[in-house]
Amino acid sequence: MKREHWNSKLGFILSVAGSAIGLANIWRFPYVVGNHGGAAFIFLYLVCLLAIGLPTFITEIAIGRKTQQNPATAFAILGQNKTWGLLGKITVLTGFIVSVFYAAVAGWILGYLWEAIKGTLVSFPNPEIAFAHYTSLTDSPTWVLGFHLLFLLFCVSVLYYGVKQGIEKANKFFMPLLFTILLILVIKGLTLPHSLDALSFLLNPNWSELTASTLLIALGQSFFTLSIGQGTLVTYGSYLSQEENLIQSSYPVIIMDTLVSIFSAIAVFTIVFSVGAKPEAGPSLIFNTLPLVFSQISGGYFLSILFFLLVFVAALTSEISALEPMIAYLTDEWKWSRKVAVISCSGLAFILGIPCSLSTNLLKEMTVFGFPNFLEFLMFLCSNILIPLGGLSAVLLAGWKWGIANLVGELHLNSFLLKNYFHFAIKYLSPLLIIIVFLSAIGFFN
Ligand code: PHE
């Protein structure tokens, strides 16, 4: 069967942006910045993004575009042996594992969107009641599993229709919606009381917070948010025709992704500061702190709906992209029809994700290899081991096997400066830094 291609350059850009912009931007970035030195963290994050994230990101897209294949086949073709093929297969599996736990978390978001529509999120007189409500929801296996399944059904309804009619169309609709909602929230946030305090909390650099472990977090964040190392970029690149200029299609994505992270942090913290709530709540910031605030400010009802709609849209377009590498593999290599592949992958992602959803209730007491629950185990496995491994495989493949000259040709680089930057970054800098970070993530330096 002939490979489907994106309809337009804009469709590609918005689809990759849809993949990149997700829970890592809206849920994680704000609290990580809040807890790790504000602007000092943002600075470190930008350095990681430019020095390692950007070259790795472009390399993965180039591998896909060059081979017009799913990551497993793409790695096998360029690497010309089984070991590279195996590394490619691991990236496909990594994306799939991400899709497993990501869907469970996104299920809560969908559930919260429903709570917002019902008006529950504006009815909390104090933190205790907000927290009790949160636990009453996540304690219920039916609630978590129901929304988890519903979320995956939304993904199926997009993936089923293929690249152009499914993924591209959805992103062309959802991404502008996401930007609009975010802009409304930022503007509303900035007009709330104490917004300047929120900005100075965010933008004041606290350099003493910058430690080796912060560097790890910043690098991990830049990889996860750009969807590096998990087959997605190779797959989306493989739907790109040879005419498109890769560099021109890539940098808008990085800019959008970064702006969404920063704007999300501004929206979240201006809302949190407006009633003097605590900014250091960590992961539960959006589930506990925000609803408490929505209960106290004017227009809270609409804000709560807009906010959870924003997070839902971001999660949906990312989950789709995490499932796609496996779907592409099954259709390219095993010759499955797209429809069968979509339904099997999503169904399997749901079944394997059940222990994640049950980790806040029925399986609360169960630890997994020393991790508090299955969800945290999978997150650790992906963020600290599989994703760095995937990114490393891609840059090593391009830098040392396929060859920098070929990569530079694929990118149509003419500028002397850019050529040398890519040469240095992909061949030496990125691999070295990823290896260092990888070793420290698995505790080698302790
Ligand atoms: N980049 C997405 C986010 O920031 C997550 C993601 C991971 C998407 C893997 C696709 C593949 O939330």
Side-chain angles (χ1 to χ4, degrees), residues 16-26 94-95 98-99 102 221 223-228 230-232 257 314-315 317-323 325 387:
V16 184
S19 168
I21 297 168
L23 295 175
N25 306 63
I26 304 174
T94 306
V98 169
S99 80
Y102 206 80
Q221 173 75 12
F223 266 38
F224 194 77
T225 187
L226 291 180
S227 309
I228 285 171
Q230 36 218 316
T232 292
D257 184 74
T317 50
S318 295
E319 173 74 9
I320 289 169
S321 75
L323 283 165
I387 292 177

PDB file of all heavy atoms in Angstrom, residues 16-26 94-95 98-99 102 221 223-228 230-232 257 314-315 317-323 325 387, ligand 1:
ATOM      1  N   VAL A  16       2.902  17.579  14.782  1.00  0.00           N
ATOM      2  CA  VAL A  16       4.057  17.378  15.663  1.00  0.00           C
ATOM      3  C   VAL A  16       3.897  18.241  16.918  1.00  0.00           C
ATOM      4  O   VAL A  16       4.201  17.804  18.031  1.00  0.00           O
ATOM      5  CB  VAL A  16       5.390  17.701  14.948  1.00  0.00           C
ATOM      6  CG1 VAL A  16       6.560  17.383  15.856  1.00  0.00           C
ATOM      7  CG2 VAL A  16       5.519  16.900  13.676  1.00  0.00           C
ATOM      8  N   ALA A  17       3.369  19.458  16.737  1.00  0.00           N
ATOM      9  CA  ALA A  17       3.135  20.307  17.917  1.00  0.00           C
ATOM     10  C   ALA A  17       2.119  19.633  18.836  1.00  0.00           C
ATOM     11  O   ALA A  17       2.265  19.637  20.057  1.00  0.00           O
ATOM     12  CB  ALA A  17       2.641  21.685  17.491  1.00  0.00           C
ATOM     13  N   GLY A  18       1.107  19.009  18.233  1.00  0.00           N
ATOM     14  CA  GLY A  18       0.097  18.307  19.033  1.00  0.00           C
ATOM     15  C   GLY A  18       0.714  17.178  19.834  1.00  0.00           C
ATOM     16  O   GLY A  18       0.335  16.927  20.975  1.00  0.00           O
ATOM     17  N   SER A  19       1.693  16.519  19.234  1.00  0.00           N
ATOM     18  CA  SER A  19       2.387  15.458  19.955  1.00  0.00           C
ATOM     19  C   SER A  19       3.218  16.045  21.097  1.00  0.00           C
ATOM     20  O   SER A  19       3.186  15.580  22.230  1.00  0.00           O
ATOM     21  CB  SER A  19       3.306  14.702  18.994  1.00  0.00           C
ATOM     22  OG  SER A  19       4.159  13.868  19.718  1.00  0.00           O
ATOM     23  N   ALA A  20       3.963  17.084  20.760  1.00  0.00           N
ATOM     24  CA  ALA A  20       4.880  17.660  21.738  1.00  0.00           C
ATOM     25  C   ALA A  20       4.139  18.310  22.908  1.00  0.00           C
ATOM     26  O   ALA A  20       4.456  18.080  24.076  1.00  0.00           O
ATOM     27  CB  ALA A  20       5.768  18.692  21.039  1.00  0.00           C
ATOM     28  N   ILE A  21       3.128  19.093  22.583  1.00  0.00           N
ATOM     29  CA  ILE A  21       2.413  19.813  23.633  1.00  0.00           C
ATOM     30  C   ILE A  21       1.458  18.850  24.329  1.00  0.00           C
ATOM     31  O   ILE A  21       0.543  18.321  23.702  1.00  0.00           O
ATOM     32  CB  ILE A  21       1.628  20.985  23.027  1.00  0.00           C
ATOM     33  CG1 ILE A  21       2.605  21.974  22.391  1.00  0.00           C
ATOM     34  CG2 ILE A  21       0.758  21.659  24.086  1.00  0.00           C
ATOM     35  CD1 ILE A  21       1.937  23.017  21.527  1.00  0.00           C
ATOM     36  N   GLY A  22       1.720  18.601  25.595  1.00  0.00           N
ATOM     37  CA  GLY A  22       0.884  17.618  26.294  1.00  0.00           C
ATOM     38  C   GLY A  22       0.918  17.850  27.789  1.00  0.00           C
ATOM     39  O   GLY A  22       1.152  18.973  28.258  1.00  0.00           O
ATOM     40  N   LEU A  23       0.719  16.768  28.524  1.00  0.00           N
ATOM     41  CA  LEU A  23       0.685  16.883  29.981  1.00  0.00           C
ATOM     42  C   LEU A  23       2.003  17.425  30.518  1.00  0.00           C
ATOM     43  O   LEU A  23       2.033  18.099  31.540  1.00  0.00           O
ATOM     44  CB  LEU A  23       0.401  15.510  30.595  1.00  0.00           C
ATOM     45  CG  LEU A  23      -0.975  14.926  30.270  1.00  0.00           C
ATOM     46  CD1 LEU A  23      -1.110  13.519  30.830  1.00  0.00           C
ATOM     47  CD2 LEU A  23      -2.082  15.818  30.842  1.00  0.00           C
ATOM     48  N   ALA A  24       3.100  17.124  29.810  1.00  0.00           N
ATOM     49  CA  ALA A  24       4.394  17.606  30.289  1.00  0.00           C
ATOM     50  C   ALA A  24       4.459  19.133  30.293  1.00  0.00           C
ATOM     51  O   ALA A  24       5.137  19.729  31.128  1.00  0.00           O
ATOM     52  CB  ALA A  24       5.517  17.041  29.427  1.00  0.00           C
ATOM     53  N   ASN A  25       3.755  19.770  29.373  1.00  0.00           N
ATOM     54  CA  ASN A  25       3.783  21.235  29.318  1.00  0.00           C
ATOM     55  C   ASN A  25       2.841  21.862  30.330  1.00  0.00           C
ATOM     56  O   ASN A  25       3.176  22.833  30.985  1.00  0.00           O
ATOM     57  CB  ASN A  25       3.341  21.744  27.946  1.00  0.00           C
ATOM     58  CG  ASN A  25       4.130  21.139  26.820  1.00  0.00           C
ATOM     59  OD1 ASN A  25       4.084  19.936  26.606  1.00  0.00           O
ATOM     60  ND2 ASN A  25       4.866  21.958  26.109  1.00  0.00           N
ATOM     61  N   ILE A  26       1.611  21.303  30.386  1.00  0.00           N
ATOM     62  CA  ILE A  26       0.577  22.015  31.133  1.00  0.00           C
ATOM     63  C   ILE A  26       0.477  21.534  32.571  1.00  0.00           C
ATOM     64  O   ILE A  26       0.251  22.304  33.488  1.00  0.00           O
ATOM     65  CB  ILE A  26      -0.777  21.867  30.415  1.00  0.00           C
ATOM     66  CG1 ILE A  26      -0.621  22.381  28.981  1.00  0.00           C
ATOM     67  CG2 ILE A  26      -1.877  22.639  31.135  1.00  0.00           C
ATOM     68  CD1 ILE A  26      -1.834  22.171  28.123  1.00  0.00           C
ATOM     69  N   THR A  94       8.705   1.769  23.426  1.00  0.00           N
ATOM     70  CA  THR A  94       8.719   2.864  24.405  1.00  0.00           C
ATOM     71  C   THR A  94       7.501   3.767  24.209  1.00  0.00           C
ATOM     72  O   THR A  94       6.806   4.105  25.170  1.00  0.00           O
ATOM     73  CB  THR A  94      10.008   3.699  24.255  1.00  0.00           C
ATOM     74  OG1 THR A  94      11.121   2.825  24.342  1.00  0.00           O
ATOM     75  CG2 THR A  94      10.107   4.759  25.339  1.00  0.00           C
ATOM     76  N   GLY A  95       7.251   4.140  22.957  1.00  0.00           N
ATOM     77  CA  GLY A  95       6.068   4.966  22.692  1.00  0.00           C
ATOM     78  C   GLY A  95       4.816   4.263  23.188  1.00  0.00           C
ATOM     79  O   GLY A  95       3.938   4.877  23.808  1.00  0.00           O
ATOM     80  N   VAL A  98       4.574   4.439  26.925  1.00  0.00           N
ATOM     81  CA  VAL A  98       4.137   5.788  27.304  1.00  0.00           C
ATOM     82  C   VAL A  98       2.627   5.895  27.126  1.00  0.00           C
ATOM     83  O   VAL A  98       1.908   6.389  27.999  1.00  0.00           O
ATOM     84  CB  VAL A  98       4.863   6.881  26.480  1.00  0.00           C
ATOM     85  CG1 VAL A  98       4.219   8.243  26.689  1.00  0.00           C
ATOM     86  CG2 VAL A  98       6.340   6.948  26.843  1.00  0.00           C
ATOM     87  N   SER A  99       2.129   5.367  26.002  1.00  0.00           N
ATOM     88  CA  SER A  99       0.686   5.486  25.745  1.00  0.00           C
ATOM     89  C   SER A  99      -0.132   4.751  26.816  1.00  0.00           C
ATOM     90  O   SER A  99      -1.250   5.137  27.116  1.00  0.00           O
ATOM     91  CB  SER A  99       0.334   4.963  24.350  1.00  0.00           C
ATOM     92  OG  SER A  99       0.250   3.556  24.345  1.00  0.00           O
ATOM     93  N   TYR A 102       0.107   7.071  30.058  1.00  0.00           N
ATOM     94  CA  TYR A 102      -0.394   8.408  29.728  1.00  0.00           C
ATOM     95  C   TYR A 102      -1.929   8.402  29.673  1.00  0.00           C
ATOM     96  O   TYR A 102      -2.583   9.320  30.156  1.00  0.00           O
ATOM     97  CB  TYR A 102       0.168   8.787  28.361  1.00  0.00           C
ATOM     98  CG  TYR A 102       0.318  10.270  28.090  1.00  0.00           C
ATOM     99  CD1 TYR A 102       1.397  10.973  28.580  1.00  0.00           C
ATOM    100  CD2 TYR A 102      -0.598  10.942  27.300  1.00  0.00           C
ATOM    101  CE1 TYR A 102       1.562  12.321  28.285  1.00  0.00           C
ATOM    102  CE2 TYR A 102      -0.443  12.288  27.011  1.00  0.00           C
ATOM    103  CZ  TYR A 102       0.643  12.975  27.505  1.00  0.00           C
ATOM    104  OH  TYR A 102       0.799  14.297  27.222  1.00  0.00           O
ATOM    105  N   GLN A 221      12.812  16.590  31.047  1.00  0.00           N
ATOM    106  CA  GLN A 221      11.637  17.358  30.628  1.00  0.00           C
ATOM    107  C   GLN A 221      11.742  17.704  29.139  1.00  0.00           C
ATOM    108  O   GLN A 221      10.776  17.583  28.394  1.00  0.00           O
ATOM    109  CB  GLN A 221      11.539  18.637  31.485  1.00  0.00           C
ATOM    110  CG  GLN A 221      10.467  19.627  31.061  1.00  0.00           C
ATOM    111  CD  GLN A 221       9.048  19.195  31.436  1.00  0.00           C
ATOM    112  OE1 GLN A 221       8.856  18.259  32.209  1.00  0.00           O
ATOM    113  NE2 GLN A 221       8.051  19.840  30.876  1.00  0.00           N
ATOM    114  N   PHE A 223      13.313  16.163  26.752  1.00  0.00           N
ATOM    115  CA  PHE A 223      13.107  14.976  25.916  1.00  0.00           C
ATOM    116  C   PHE A 223      11.647  14.574  25.884  1.00  0.00           C
ATOM    117  O   PHE A 223      11.084  14.296  24.838  1.00  0.00           O
ATOM    118  CB  PHE A 223      13.935  13.798  26.455  1.00  0.00           C
ATOM    119  CG  PHE A 223      15.269  13.686  25.790  1.00  0.00           C
ATOM    120  CD1 PHE A 223      15.986  14.822  25.457  1.00  0.00           C
ATOM    121  CD2 PHE A 223      15.810  12.453  25.481  1.00  0.00           C
ATOM    122  CE1 PHE A 223      17.211  14.720  24.829  1.00  0.00           C
ATOM    123  CE2 PHE A 223      17.034  12.343  24.855  1.00  0.00           C
ATOM    124  CZ  PHE A 223      17.738  13.468  24.534  1.00  0.00           C
ATOM    125  N   PHE A 224      11.050  14.524  27.078  1.00  0.00           N
ATOM    126  CA  PHE A 224       9.663  14.031  27.141  1.00  0.00           C
ATOM    127  C   PHE A 224       8.735  14.982  26.398  1.00  0.00           C
ATOM    128  O   PHE A 224       7.874  14.567  25.635  1.00  0.00           O
ATOM    129  CB  PHE A 224       9.227  13.866  28.597  1.00  0.00           C
ATOM    130  CG  PHE A 224       7.958  13.065  28.720  1.00  0.00           C
ATOM    131  CD1 PHE A 224       7.979  11.687  28.595  1.00  0.00           C
ATOM    132  CD2 PHE A 224       6.738  13.687  28.933  1.00  0.00           C
ATOM    133  CE1 PHE A 224       6.813  10.929  28.674  1.00  0.00           C
ATOM    134  CE2 PHE A 224       5.565  12.941  29.017  1.00  0.00           C
ATOM    135  CZ  PHE A 224       5.605  11.560  28.898  1.00  0.00           C
ATOM    136  N   THR A 225       8.931  16.273  26.611  1.00  0.00           N
ATOM    137  CA  THR A 225       7.998  17.216  26.005  1.00  0.00           C
ATOM    138  C   THR A 225       8.149  17.258  24.480  1.00  0.00           C
ATOM    139  O   THR A 225       7.178  17.455  23.767  1.00  0.00           O
ATOM    140  CB  THR A 225       8.117  18.625  26.607  1.00  0.00           C
ATOM    141  OG1 THR A 225       7.062  19.427  26.069  1.00  0.00           O
ATOM    142  CG2 THR A 225       9.431  19.301  26.293  1.00  0.00           C
ATOM    143  N   LEU A 226       9.355  17.031  23.973  1.00  0.00           N
ATOM    144  CA  LEU A 226       9.505  17.044  22.514  1.00  0.00           C
ATOM    145  C   LEU A 226       9.179  15.681  21.893  1.00  0.00           C
ATOM    146  O   LEU A 226       9.367  15.484  20.698  1.00  0.00           O
ATOM    147  CB  LEU A 226      10.917  17.475  22.124  1.00  0.00           C
ATOM    148  CG  LEU A 226      11.276  18.936  22.399  1.00  0.00           C
ATOM    149  CD1 LEU A 226      12.713  19.239  21.972  1.00  0.00           C
ATOM    150  CD2 LEU A 226      10.326  19.888  21.661  1.00  0.00           C
ATOM    151  N   SER A 227       8.711  14.750  22.700  1.00  0.00           N
ATOM    152  CA  SER A 227       8.372  13.389  22.232  1.00  0.00           C
ATOM    153  C   SER A 227       9.579  12.688  21.609  1.00  0.00           C
ATOM    154  O   SER A 227       9.439  11.906  20.668  1.00  0.00           O
ATOM    155  CB  SER A 227       7.224  13.398  21.219  1.00  0.00           C
ATOM    156  OG  SER A 227       6.123  14.117  21.696  1.00  0.00           O
ATOM    157  N   ILE A 228      10.763  12.969  22.167  1.00  0.00           N
ATOM    158  CA  ILE A 228      12.001  12.341  21.650  1.00  0.00           C
ATOM    159  C   ILE A 228      12.136  10.918  22.206  1.00  0.00           C
ATOM    160  O   ILE A 228      11.660  10.637  23.300  1.00  0.00           O
ATOM    161  CB  ILE A 228      13.214  13.203  22.096  1.00  0.00           C
ATOM    162  CG1 ILE A 228      13.280  14.479  21.256  1.00  0.00           C
ATOM    163  CG2 ILE A 228      14.519  12.431  22.016  1.00  0.00           C
ATOM    164  CD1 ILE A 228      14.293  15.486  21.733  1.00  0.00           C
ATOM    165  N   GLN A 230      10.925   8.016  21.482  1.00  0.00           N
ATOM    166  CA  GLN A 230       9.819   7.069  21.625  1.00  0.00           C
ATOM    167  C   GLN A 230       9.117   6.793  20.301  1.00  0.00           C
ATOM    168  O   GLN A 230       7.921   6.516  20.288  1.00  0.00           O
ATOM    169  CB  GLN A 230       8.850   7.555  22.699  1.00  0.00           C
ATOM    170  CG  GLN A 230       8.688   9.063  22.712  1.00  0.00           C
ATOM    171  CD  GLN A 230       8.566   9.664  24.100  1.00  0.00           C
ATOM    172  OE1 GLN A 230       7.849   9.119  24.921  1.00  0.00           O
ATOM    173  NE2 GLN A 230       9.244  10.747  24.363  1.00  0.00           N
ATOM    174  N   GLY A 231       9.867   6.919  19.229  1.00  0.00           N
ATOM    175  CA  GLY A 231       9.329   6.490  17.928  1.00  0.00           C
ATOM    176  C   GLY A 231       8.380   7.463  17.250  1.00  0.00           C
ATOM    177  O   GLY A 231       8.174   7.401  16.044  1.00  0.00           O
ATOM    178  N   THR A 232       7.825   8.378  18.012  1.00  0.00           N
ATOM    179  CA  THR A 232       6.815   9.278  17.450  1.00  0.00           C
ATOM    180  C   THR A 232       7.358  10.156  16.321  1.00  0.00           C
ATOM    181  O   THR A 232       6.746  10.286  15.270  1.00  0.00           O
ATOM    182  CB  THR A 232       6.251  10.170  18.574  1.00  0.00           C
ATOM    183  OG1 THR A 232       5.505   9.340  19.449  1.00  0.00           O
ATOM    184  CG2 THR A 232       5.366  11.263  18.030  1.00  0.00           C
ATOM    185  N   ASP A 257       6.042  24.758  21.458  1.00  0.00           N
ATOM    186  CA  ASP A 257       6.079  23.901  22.642  1.00  0.00           C
ATOM    187  C   ASP A 257       6.610  24.675  23.852  1.00  0.00           C
ATOM    188  O   ASP A 257       6.062  24.596  24.954  1.00  0.00           O
ATOM    189  CB  ASP A 257       6.972  22.685  22.345  1.00  0.00           C
ATOM    190  CG  ASP A 257       6.978  21.700  23.489  1.00  0.00           C
ATOM    191  OD1 ASP A 257       5.960  21.003  23.652  1.00  0.00           O
ATOM    192  OD2 ASP A 257       7.969  21.638  24.233  1.00  0.00           O
ATOM    193  N   ALA A 314      -4.700  18.721  24.961  1.00  0.00           N
ATOM    194  CA  ALA A 314      -3.250  18.511  24.905  1.00  0.00           C
ATOM    195  C   ALA A 314      -2.935  17.022  25.061  1.00  0.00           C
ATOM    196  O   ALA A 314      -2.107  16.461  24.335  1.00  0.00           O
ATOM    197  CB  ALA A 314      -2.569  19.316  26.001  1.00  0.00           C
ATOM    198  N   ALA A 315      -3.623  16.372  25.994  1.00  0.00           N
ATOM    199  CA  ALA A 315      -3.351  14.956  26.251  1.00  0.00           C
ATOM    200  C   ALA A 315      -3.800  14.085  25.079  1.00  0.00           C
ATOM    201  O   ALA A 315      -3.115  13.139  24.692  1.00  0.00           O
ATOM    202  CB  ALA A 315      -4.050  14.514  27.535  1.00  0.00           C
ATOM    203  N   THR A 317      -4.048  14.783  21.775  1.00  0.00           N
ATOM    204  CA  THR A 317      -3.183  14.825  20.586  1.00  0.00           C
ATOM    205  C   THR A 317      -1.809  14.187  20.868  1.00  0.00           C
ATOM    206  O   THR A 317      -1.152  13.716  19.947  1.00  0.00           O
ATOM    207  CB  THR A 317      -3.008  16.282  20.105  1.00  0.00           C
ATOM    208  OG1 THR A 317      -2.643  17.092  21.220  1.00  0.00           O
ATOM    209  CG2 THR A 317      -4.294  16.817  19.507  1.00  0.00           C
ATOM    210  N   SER A 318      -1.398  14.155  22.139  1.00  0.00           N
ATOM    211  CA  SER A 318      -0.132  13.489  22.467  1.00  0.00           C
ATOM    212  C   SER A 318      -0.312  11.975  22.505  1.00  0.00           C
ATOM    213  O   SER A 318       0.535  11.225  22.012  1.00  0.00           O
ATOM    214  CB  SER A 318       0.392  13.949  23.830  1.00  0.00           C
ATOM    215  OG  SER A 318       0.716  15.304  23.785  1.00  0.00           O
ATOM    216  N   GLU A 319      -1.398  11.528  23.111  1.00  0.00           N
ATOM    217  CA  GLU A 319      -1.632  10.081  23.217  1.00  0.00           C
ATOM    218  C   GLU A 319      -1.716   9.444  21.820  1.00  0.00           C
ATOM    219  O   GLU A 319      -1.156   8.377  21.575  1.00  0.00           O
ATOM    220  CB  GLU A 319      -2.936   9.832  23.996  1.00  0.00           C
ATOM    221  CG  GLU A 319      -3.390   8.372  24.031  1.00  0.00           C
ATOM    222  CD  GLU A 319      -2.560   7.478  24.952  1.00  0.00           C
ATOM    223  OE1 GLU A 319      -1.718   8.016  25.702  1.00  0.00           O
ATOM    224  OE2 GLU A 319      -2.751   6.255  24.913  1.00  0.00           O
ATOM    225  N   ILE A 320      -2.398  10.145  20.922  1.00  0.00           N
ATOM    226  CA  ILE A 320      -2.508   9.656  19.549  1.00  0.00           C
ATOM    227  C   ILE A 320      -1.114   9.404  18.972  1.00  0.00           C
ATOM    228  O   ILE A 320      -0.843   8.383  18.338  1.00  0.00           O
ATOM    229  CB  ILE A 320      -3.224  10.728  18.694  1.00  0.00           C
ATOM    230  CG1 ILE A 320      -4.685  10.790  19.073  1.00  0.00           C
ATOM    231  CG2 ILE A 320      -3.061  10.494  17.220  1.00  0.00           C
ATOM    232  CD1 ILE A 320      -5.372  12.001  18.470  1.00  0.00           C
ATOM    233  N   SER A 321      -0.215  10.349  19.238  1.00  0.00           N
ATOM    234  CA  SER A 321       1.122  10.253  18.653  1.00  0.00           C
ATOM    235  C   SER A 321       1.973   9.202  19.350  1.00  0.00           C
ATOM    236  O   SER A 321       2.952   8.724  18.780  1.00  0.00           O
ATOM    237  CB  SER A 321       1.820  11.611  18.708  1.00  0.00           C
ATOM    238  OG  SER A 321       2.249  11.882  20.017  1.00  0.00           O
ATOM    239  N   ALA A 322       1.616   8.865  20.583  1.00  0.00           N
ATOM    240  CA  ALA A 322       2.377   7.812  21.269  1.00  0.00           C
ATOM    241  C   ALA A 322       1.943   6.434  20.771  1.00  0.00           C
ATOM    242  O   ALA A 322       2.730   5.488  20.753  1.00  0.00           O
ATOM    243  CB  ALA A 322       2.193   7.929  22.783  1.00  0.00           C
ATOM    244  N   LEU A 323       0.692   6.312  20.349  1.00  0.00           N
ATOM    245  CA  LEU A 323       0.191   5.033  19.832  1.00  0.00           C
ATOM    246  C   LEU A 323       0.609   4.800  18.378  1.00  0.00           C
ATOM    247  O   LEU A 323       0.755   3.656  17.931  1.00  0.00           O
ATOM    248  CB  LEU A 323      -1.346   5.003  19.917  1.00  0.00           C
ATOM    249  CG  LEU A 323      -1.962   4.760  21.287  1.00  0.00           C
ATOM    250  CD1 LEU A 323      -3.442   5.129  21.292  1.00  0.00           C
ATOM    251  CD2 LEU A 323      -1.790   3.302  21.714  1.00  0.00           C
ATOM    252  N   PRO A 325       3.383   5.012  16.473  1.00  0.00           N
ATOM    253  CA  PRO A 325       4.524   4.204  16.022  1.00  0.00           C
ATOM    254  C   PRO A 325       4.187   2.702  15.975  1.00  0.00           C
ATOM    255  O   PRO A 325       4.536   2.024  15.015  1.00  0.00           O
ATOM    256  CB  PRO A 325       5.607   4.486  17.066  1.00  0.00           C
ATOM    257  CG  PRO A 325       5.263   5.818  17.620  1.00  0.00           C
ATOM    258  CD  PRO A 325       3.772   5.919  17.574  1.00  0.00           C
ATOM    259  N   ILE A 387      13.540   6.302  27.248  1.00  0.00           N
ATOM    260  CA  ILE A 387      13.565   7.512  26.417  1.00  0.00           C
ATOM    261  C   ILE A 387      15.002   7.989  26.149  1.00  0.00           C
ATOM    262  O   ILE A 387      15.356   8.237  24.992  1.00  0.00           O
ATOM    263  CB  ILE A 387      12.664   8.621  27.019  1.00  0.00           C
ATOM    264  CG1 ILE A 387      11.197   8.160  26.913  1.00  0.00           C
ATOM    265  CG2 ILE A 387      12.880   9.957  26.330  1.00  0.00           C
ATOM    266  CD1 ILE A 387      10.193   9.102  27.509  1.00  0.00           C
TER     267      ILE A 387
HETATM  268  N1  PHE B   1       5.247  15.130  24.473  1.00  0.00           N
HETATM  269  C1  PHE B   1       4.098  14.742  25.224  1.00  0.00           C
HETATM  270  C2  PHE B   1       3.928  15.634  26.437  1.00  0.00           C
HETATM  271  O1  PHE B   1       4.637  16.561  26.592  1.00  0.00           O
HETATM  272  C3  PHE B   1       4.164  13.326  25.667  1.00  0.00           C
HETATM  273  C4  PHE B   1       4.433  12.312  24.628  1.00  0.00           C
HETATM  274  C5  PHE B   1       5.299  11.362  24.875  1.00  0.00           C
HETATM  275  C6  PHE B   1       3.831  12.304  23.404  1.00  0.00           C
HETATM  276  C7  PHE B   1       5.581  10.396  23.922  1.00  0.00           C
HETATM  277  C8  PHE B   1       4.127  11.354  22.465  1.00  0.00           C
HETATM  278  C9  PHE B   1       5.008  10.405  22.708  1.00  0.00           C
HETATM  279  O2  PHE B   1       3.084  15.434  27.267  1.00  0.00           O
END
